[in-house]
Amino acid sequence: MQTRQRLELIEQECQIRNDLNKIQFTHYFTNEFMEKNTQFFCIEEFFESVGVTSQNALERLPIESWENHVQRSTTFSSWQEMLDSAGQEYALNNFY
């Protein structure tokens, strides 16, 4: 998967289609979610730990490095699995 595709996937995963508003990443990946499923307190720490401090840094990071980071520091086997889980938890906490 190309970096641009990964970024588009992140953006797509962070939208609520019901009201067409974007969810802030920090709301999508709550601190509770991050503490329960990762070695980090918040999504910002997760990104910073692999050197991602901007969109440009994310685009430069090889997908293999990103996937390895997810596998090493979370309970998930892939970024997609992490996104899916965060989305399910967000939906349960906000729509049901």
Side-chain angles (χ1 to χ4, degrees), residues 12-69:
Q12 290 171 4
E13 290 290 333
C14 291
Q15 279 187 316
I16 300 178
R17 303 200 187 282
N18 298 20
D19 59 13
L20 301 177
N21 289 325
K22 289 186 178 179
I23 304 168
Q24 289 184 6
F25 228 50
T26 54
H27 292 153
Y28 198 68
F29 290 98
T30 64
N31 292 353
E32 180 181 317
F33 175 87
M34 294 302 293
E35 286 184 275
K36 181 172 62 175
N37 296 293
T38 77
Q39 301 172 4
F40 303 95
F41 172 72
C42 62
I43 191 67
E44 294 90 350
E45 283 182 0
F46 179 74
F47 281 119
E48 289 172 4
S49 70
V50 74
V52 174
T53 57
S54 67
Q55 181 175 345
N56 193 24
L58 179 61
E59 291 173 356
R60 288 192 318 261
L61 184 68
I63 187 69
E64 296 82 18
S65 297
W66 183 250
E67 290 292 342
N68 287 336
H69 179 58

